[in-house]
């Protein structure tokens, strides 16, 4: 059985082929966060009445994944991330245990044939500690782990139009990835330590998106920023309010870094020797790319950084939030076929 998990810093997504119908794909998604509540009778009763499952940890109750957002009113504090600064935390025991529980819940029943589970790593595969921890979780549940880059996965999900030759940009919550691929072979890849969470935090600071807990302590209300930002009327190129124009400037700062790194990678010897002056399509994925005007804003940055002459087109993948996990599933199926061929040859 082939499975896939995209360990995102905002959402963890998993996919596998249905056992009943091979053409059907089962998708799961869980938010990468949790809430800690005091272990009080009133809290337990509230969770029971709303049929919200929870875990117990010392004197606290833990509510995690998609259910965390449903109990914010009980704590009146922001949800805690499962990935601290875009990586698996070393000192947050509850977060590590929750990752174990979510991985077990999102994977199908353990196969008997050592099925492959392809996965992404927050911050990229160079984050070896996170890679080893997540691979161990997958291995504990009976699958053979295979770490794959987000860029390579996204291109597999949508690259047939470009013969799997493109610049792929995947924007995440804590980091972003730029990769250059020729006929499905990755020539270069680089991770940028900035993502949508930085934009959300800056907006919350500047426009006073705040929430107070029961003791009067103030926190940034990032969830309120996200709800506003995903309004269909928001457009990066046609902002009418100061808040919208600030959003456009913040996106511009992130895309400036993306364009600079793309230019440097295109001029690197490893890429130049293979592609020469070939113009490439740019394929974009990830939740932050869903905002209206994204493709044209990125194209403008390519012009500003003198890289437009090497770009054929700029396109956001259909269903950009699920592109990576779909590509992981494709990678796993290709890898399974290669394993069968090698086994037959032996």
């Amino acid at each position: 059985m082939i499975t896939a998990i995209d360990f995102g810093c905002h959402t963890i997504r998993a996919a596998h082929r249905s056992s009943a119908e091979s053409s059907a794909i089962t998708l799961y998604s869980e938010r990468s966060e949790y809430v800690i509540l005091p272990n009080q009778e009133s809290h337990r009763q509230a969770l029971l009445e709303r049929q919200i499952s929870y875990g117990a940890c010392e004197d606290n109750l833990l509510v995690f994944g998609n259910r965390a957002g449903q109990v914010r009113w009980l704590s009146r504090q922001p949800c805690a991330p499962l990935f601290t600064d875009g990586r698996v935390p070393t000192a947050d025991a509850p977060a590590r245990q929750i990752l174990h529980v979510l991985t077990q819940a999102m994977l199908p029943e353990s196969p008997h044939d050592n099925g492959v589970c392809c996965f992404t790593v927050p911050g990229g595969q160079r984050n070896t500690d996170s890679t080893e921890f997540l691979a161990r979780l997958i291995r504990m549940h009976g699958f053979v782990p295979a770490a794959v880059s987000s860029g390579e996965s996204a291109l597999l999900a949508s690259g047939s139009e470009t013969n799997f030759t493109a610049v792929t940009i995947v924007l995440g919550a804590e980091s972003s990835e730029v990769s250059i691929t020729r006929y499905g072979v990755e020539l270069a890849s680089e991770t940028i330590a900035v993502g949508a969470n930085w934009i959300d935090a800056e907006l919350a600071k500047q426009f006073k998106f705040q929430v107070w807990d029961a003791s009067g302590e103030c926190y940034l209300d990032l969830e309120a920023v996200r709800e506003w930002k995903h309004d269909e009327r928001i457009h990066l190129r046609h902002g009418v309010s100061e808040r919208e124009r600030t959003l456009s400037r913040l996106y511009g700062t992130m895309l400036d870094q993306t364009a600079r790194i793309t230019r440097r990678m295109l001029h690197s010897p490893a890429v130049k020797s293979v592609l020469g002056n070939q113009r490439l399509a740019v394929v974009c994925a990830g939740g932050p790319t869903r905002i209206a005007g994204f493709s044209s804003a990125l194209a403008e940055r390519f012009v500003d950084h003198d890289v437009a002459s090497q770009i054929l087109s700029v396109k956001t993948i259909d269903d950009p939030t699920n592109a990576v996990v779909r590509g992981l599933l494709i990678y796993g199926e290709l890898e399974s076929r290669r394993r069968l061929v090698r086994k037959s040859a032996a």
Side-chain angles (χ1 to χ4, degrees):
M1 177 181 287
I2 309 301
T3 61
I5 300 185
D6 176 21
F7 286 103
C9 292
H10 179 267
T11 304
I12 300 173
R13 294 181 172 84
H16 67 269
R17 293 283 185 187
S18 170
S19 57
E21 185 179 352
S22 60
S23 61
I25 297 175
T26 301
L27 287 170
Y28 298 100
S29 66
E30 291 282 349
R31 291 283 291 270
S32 308
E33 58 190 18
Y34 68 99
V35 169
I36 297 179
L37 301 171
N39 192 351
Q40 300 174 356
E41 177 60 30
S42 59
H43 289 156
R44 293 195 299 272
Q45 186 63 31
L47 296 174
L48 181 63
E49 289 174 355
R50 290 160 180 79
Q51 298 183 329
I52 296 174
S53 59
Y54 61 88
C57 179
E58 297 180 348
D59 297 327
N60 298 308
L61 305 176
L62 297 178
V63 182
F64 51 87
N66 295 337
R67 301 167 188 80
Q70 301 173 25
V71 298
R72 288 185 64 204
W73 61 276
L74 284 174
S75 69
R76 296 173 62 184
Q77 292 182 2
C79 298
L82 290 178
F83 298 103
T84 305
D85 297 325
R87 61 183 60 224
V88 174
T90 57
D92 188 342
R96 293 169 72 91
Q97 183 61 29
I98 290 168
L99 284 170
H100 167 74
V101 172
L102 286 178
T103 301
Q104 182 179 29
M106 298 174 80
L107 285 174
E109 185 178 349
S110 178
H112 300 291
D113 58 350
N114 293 322
V116 175
C117 179
C118 298
F119 70 104
T120 58
V121 182
Q125 297 177 63
R126 294 183 180 88
N127 188 345
T128 54
D129 290 341
S130 293
T131 303
E132 291 173 3
F133 177 82
L134 296 173
R136 187 162 60 250
L137 292 184
I138 292 168
R139 199 175 291 112
M140 286 171 61
H141 300 303
F143 290 87
V144 177
V148 186
S149 74
S150 297
E152 188 174 2
S153 301
L155 188 61
L156 279 173
S158 62
S160 58
E161 295 180 3
T162 64
N163 291 320
F164 301 99
T165 301
V167 176
T168 308
I169 297 172
V170 180
L171 301 186
E174 288 288 345
S175 63
S176 303
E177 185 174 310
V178 181
S179 65
I180 299 177
T181 306
R182 179 176 182 268
Y183 298 135
V185 178
E186 193 171 74
L187 303 177
S189 175
E190 191 160 338
T191 300
I192 312 168
V194 64
N197 284 353
W198 171 77
I199 293 175
D200 299 342
E202 289 298 313
L203 280 170
K205 292 174 188 175
Q206 294 185 39
F207 293 95
K208 306 299 182 183
F209 283 86
Q210 297 171 335
V211 64
W212 286 264
D213 65 13
S215 64
E217 188 170 352
C218 181
Y219 298 89
L220 295 178
D221 193 352
L222 301 184
E223 196 60 34
V225 173
R226 291 162 186 156
E227 290 176 4
W228 168 79
K229 190 176 67 175
H230 292 147
D231 189 313
E232 293 181 355
R233 294 169 293 182
I234 303 298
H235 196 290
L236 287 182
R237 306 297 300 281
H238 304 141
V240 295
S241 67
E242 182 58 30
R243 189 190 297 172
E244 291 176 61
R245 289 190 287 270
T246 301
L247 174 64
S248 181
R249 287 194 294 271
L250 292 170
Y251 256 90
T253 300
M254 182 171 65
L255 295 182
D256 275 333
Q257 293 189 50
T258 304
R260 280 196 298 270
I261 286 176
T262 301
R263 185 179 189 278
R264 186 170 72 239
M265 291 170 64
L266 285 170
H267 287 86
S268 67
V271 174
K272 199 75 174 175
S273 62
V274 176
L275 295 175
N277 295 319
Q278 180 181 349
R279 299 178 69 190
L280 297 177
V282 176
V283 177
C284 307
T289 68
R290 292 181 297 165
I291 191 166
F294 175 83
S295 295
S296 56
L298 178 58
E300 185 178 81
R301 290 310 187 281
F302 285 144
V303 173
D304 293 342
H305 291 276
D306 194 29
V307 74
S309 61
Q310 296 173 271
I311 301 302
L312 192 63
S313 61
V314 179
K315 178 185 177 182
T316 299
I317 295 173
D318 294 335
D319 189 15
T321 57
N322 288 315
V324 171
V325 74
R326 288 191 291 112
L328 286 171
L329 202 58
I330 295 169
Y331 186 97
E333 291 171 343
L334 294 174
E335 181 62 25
S336 179
R337 292 176 188 176
R338 283 193 290 266
R339 289 170 63 187
L340 287 175
V341 170
R342 288 195 296 266
K343 185 176 181 179
S344 299

